[in-house]
Amino acid sequence: MLEPTIQLLWNLVATDSVNPALVPGGAGEENIARLIAAEMRSIGMQVELTEVAPHRPNVIGVMEGEAPGRSLMFCGHMDTVGVGGMAAPFTPLAREGRLYGRGSQDMKGGVAAMLGAARQLASSGGLPAGKLIVAAVADEEHASLGAQEVAMRWRADGAVVTEPTHLEIALAHRGFSWVEVRTRGIAAHGSKPLEGRDAIFRMGRVLARLEKLGRELQAMPPHAIQGTASLHASLISGGQELSSYPENCLLQFERRTTSAEPDGVALREIHDILRTLKEEDEEFEGSAELILERSAFEIPSEHALPKLLRAAVTRVGRVPREGGVTYWTDAAILARAGIPTVIFGPGGAGLHSREEFVYVEDVLACRDVLVELAREFCAGKVTLHAS
Ligand SMILES: [Zn+2]
């Protein structure tokens, strides 16, 4: 028989929740949301399901404390990426202290830990003070519809996103922008150089400037945790056939941003590049627009939330470590909505790849830390801001 939090993790991994916006026909969050809602009800939480898209609910469980205090949110996403190449993605396998299966690390381990923490609090006499909000959200792997909905309607004095951090307290990560660039030429027969204008050569000029910009960004002084900004050309297409001058070229690139940079920096940079190219050659035609922008995330190490989290880690007999993560998370959305947030979750390996696993012991340690944190944070004895 498995330990109850690990049994819950097993059940979560066994429930297909592939994000249908990433993989057409993917199962989505409906079934796993039902499972999580039942778990929350059996813990005694008030449960609310809200659809963020058809058949794609968020599940929020609330536990009220015995006395007034602060509110703390645990937030984790229910969806996973696709299962391409995996032999048995939804048949969890527990072996040598690891639990294998799609989503085990990213991030059903963290979701099991936060639900396990709520259960532990409830069964040990309840939350002494304040309020615990457990948010299982949809669609993080695509457009974060779930976290956006939570950020719009819920307030909390602090939040922990339990994405996998190897039990390190993650205080920051970079943001990103996706930008689309079009260059236009004039279609003509390949034998008519006087008539044709080559949209792909024009994009070549854009690419050369972007590459130079990318090098400059990486040569800038790095942010202590986030490192430097960067960019890469992700996708490109253009032209009609071999014998013609291409009329159009389309480029999509990604720009990773730091907290030190203003909103909209990626679009401003590409507009500057296009303006310069137009000044150099008035025949040049190009335009750019933003596809998606997500801000960077950062919380000071002296803030009460990471401080109390460090203390909680120490109380479960571990040495607190602080750092950042390379990937983007819903923490940026919660923080942007004014909820101080940290990222803290179990370790494992293989997220988004063919063999994914989470360390069982880390899931249990994460759960125990969350219990300690909720008791202290919600009691509200420490001031929230460093200064
Ligand atoms: Zn994730």
Side-chain angles (χ1 to χ4, degrees), residues 77 106 140-141 163:
H77 64 85
D106 185 13
E140 192 272 348
E141 298 288 2
E163 288 270 14

Side-chain angles (χ1 to χ4, degrees), residues 151-170:
M152 226 155 51
R153 288 200 309 115
W154 291 82
R155 283 288 149 262
D157 297 312
V160 183
V161 170
T162 56
E163 288 270 14
T165 66
H166 294 268
L167 301 178
E168 181 174 280
I169 300 167

Side-chain angles (χ1 to χ4, degrees), residues 77 79 105-107 140-141 163-164 327-328 351-352:
H77 64 85
D79 59 315
Q105 190 197 16
D106 185 13
M107 58 168 289
E140 192 272 348
E141 298 288 2
E163 288 270 14
Y327 53 85
W328 185 90
L351 68 166
H352 297 205

